[in-house]
Amino acid sequence: MPIPKLTVRSLVVRAVDAPLGRPVRTASGNILTAPLVLLDLVTEEGVTGTSYVFCYSPAALKPVATMVANLAPIVQGDAVAPLTMASKLEQRFRLLGPQGLVGIAMAALDMAAWDALARAAGVPLVQLLGGRARPIRAYDSYGMVDVHEIAELAAAAVERGFRAMKIKVGYADVRDDVEAIREVRRIAGDAMTLMIDYNQSLTLAEALRRAPVIDDENVLWVEEPLRADDDAGHSQLAVAMRTPLQLGENWWGPNDMTRSIAARACRLAMPDVMKIGGVTGWMRAAALAQSAGLPVSSHIFPEFSAHLLPVTPTCDWLEYLDLAGPLLAEPARVVDGAITAPSVPGAGLNWDEDKVSRYLVR
């Protein structure tokens, strides 16, 4: 399809601290709000590409916004060509390293660039990437919840058509992990697929101790039980457990993914579009997963994930955790437990400016 040539004119960067419909409690800390950096890539041709990144903590909000804004003089006047832009930025920041705030800023720019190209072509991002929109099965994602809350949450997930849920565990005693799992099953029924996430809260010794207990609970996967970069530990645990390990949300680029695959650290992959390197990084990760035979699920960012998973050969699950929805004119919609990329040009991110203004951090 013909794609008009675009040139970077400026970057408009805004920091917002948005409300969360439900705060996310984890064994490694609590997320009470959604600190987001919004990026509009303005081109000389009048097309604007849009993206956002998630900072996890309000303490990181302004530093991330500053880092994104600092990319403007580096790319101003350049063609909107994501692979070329990525190579330029990787070279510029090679000595510092492409992780952390730098990696987040580079991904924000990459995502906005792809969005701009799709808008200029007048097609949804999934179509620009060579695919077509289709319903992607989604799971409802929760934090650590009190057993007294589980009934209401599980019932709501069932009512919305979800056929899978993820809860965070990592209580002081594995018996409390099991109690939470069984309470969800009691309310949602055996037809509900269940995943659990430890958020890097266990030592290898403790994970090995809990492994046979969790194996008996018939969960689909166990996510990040150990420190994210402990490939050797996860490899040992993967052999000891029948339940598949899910890793990937903390892979900083395809190179981290390559090392994890080489170590046989997991049987399931979950790249985060922000940490893996934006759309460009995701496409590279999808190729690695196909080669290794790893099913790929997404980590947050449901708006972009709905476009990326249909072009991922080993597509598995889409995580539904709505961070940007309170700021969007049209948030991602769950229909019968699935999310489909919208048919509008680009990724479908259009800000509700009144709401953005309300939560703006200056």
Side-chain angles (χ1 to χ4, degrees):
M1 65 188 72
I3 302 174
K5 293 182 178 179
L6 302 177
T7 307
V8 178
R9 179 178 182 180
S10 62
L11 303 182
V12 178
V13 181
R14 293 179 289 182
V16 296
D17 199 12
L20 276 178
R22 52 178 186 252
V24 180
R25 184 163 66 97
T26 83
S28 297
N30 299 328
I31 300 171
L32 304 179
T33 60
L36 306 174
V37 172
L38 316 184
L39 172 61
D40 292 319
L41 188 162
V42 182
T43 68
E44 296 288 357
E45 294 74 15
V47 176
T48 297
T50 300
S51 70
Y52 72 92
V53 288
F54 176 47
C55 302
Y56 287 86
S57 168
L61 186 53
K62 288 187 177 180
V64 171
T66 298
M67 189 67 233
V68 175
N70 285 345
L71 298 183
I74 302 175
V75 298
Q76 190 172 20
D78 287 356
V80 179
L83 273 67
T84 302
M85 295 168 75
S87 295
K88 180 178 183 178
L89 293 174
E90 287 166 6
Q91 177 67 34
R92 179 65 63 94
F93 292 108
R94 184 156 293 157
L95 296 180
L96 179 59
Q99 300 85 19
L101 301 191
V102 173
I104 291 172
M106 290 167 59
L109 182 63
D110 181 89
M111 293 154 72
W114 279 104
D115 181 63
L117 290 177
R119 290 181 189 242
V123 298
L125 176 60
V126 63
Q127 187 174 335
L128 183 71
L129 296 173
R132 61 178 179 81
R134 59 183 175 88
I136 303 295
R137 60 181 182 174
Y139 67 86
D140 208 5
S141 189
Y142 294 86
M144 296 176 79
V145 291
D146 187 281
V147 291
H148 303 297
E149 299 177 282
I150 288 176
E152 180 182 349
L153 298 176
V158 172
E159 185 178 346
R160 297 186 68 184
F162 285 105
R163 297 177 180 85
M165 293 175 60
K166 183 173 77 179
I167 60 170
K168 297 183 183 296
V169 292
Y171 298 94
D173 193 313
V174 68
R175 288 175 294 187
D176 293 324
D177 294 344
V178 171
E179 182 182 11
I181 292 168
R182 292 181 178 176
E183 184 65 12
V184 170
R185 289 210 184 283
R186 186 183 72 81
I187 301 299
D190 291 336
M192 179 70 76
T193 298
L194 185 61
M195 306 88 154
I196 61 172
D197 184 357
Y198 274 100
N199 284 108
Q200 310 178 63
S201 61
L202 303 181
T203 63
L204 177 58
E206 180 61 18
L208 289 169
R209 190 181 73 81
R210 296 189 187 204
V213 179
I214 297 301
D215 274 341
D216 288 339
E217 295 306 315
N218 191 32
V219 297
L220 184 64
W221 71 58
V222 175
E223 192 172 328
E224 281 195 336
L226 312 178
R227 198 183 67 233
D229 61 353
D230 187 359
D231 289 331
H234 279 119
S235 179
Q236 185 176 340
L237 184 59
V239 173
M241 291 194 76
R242 298 192 308 274
T243 309
L245 295 186
Q246 174 73 277
L247 303 179
E249 70 176 80
N250 285 297
W251 286 334
W252 288 101
N255 289 344
D256 274 5
M257 182 178 181
T258 299
R259 286 192 292 269
S260 189
I261 291 172
R264 298 182 182 273
C266 61
R267 282 189 274 161
L268 302 170
M270 180 182 280
D272 177 295
V273 65
M274 177 182 77
K275 293 183 180 179
I276 204 68
V279 175
T280 299
W282 180 284
M283 298 303 287
R284 292 168 176 167
L288 289 172
Q290 181 183 24
S291 179
L294 292 178
V296 171
S297 299
S298 64
H299 180 252
I300 59 177
F301 298 97
E303 303 85 8
F304 274 92
S305 300
H307 293 270
L308 295 172
L309 283 168
V311 296
T312 301
T314 56
C315 169
D316 203 6
W317 290 90
L318 185 152
E319 179 176 31
Y320 180 72
L321 181 57
D322 194 10
L323 300 174
L327 304 176
L328 290 170
E330 295 184 23
R333 294 178 61 243
V334 180
V335 178
D336 195 24
I339 294 178
T340 304
S343 58
V344 300
L349 294 175
N350 294 296
W351 305 121
D352 182 322
E353 291 298 336
D354 289 338
K355 293 178 181 176
V356 171
S357 298
R358 190 181 313 164
Y359 302 113
L360 198 62
V361 176
R362 301 185 186 279

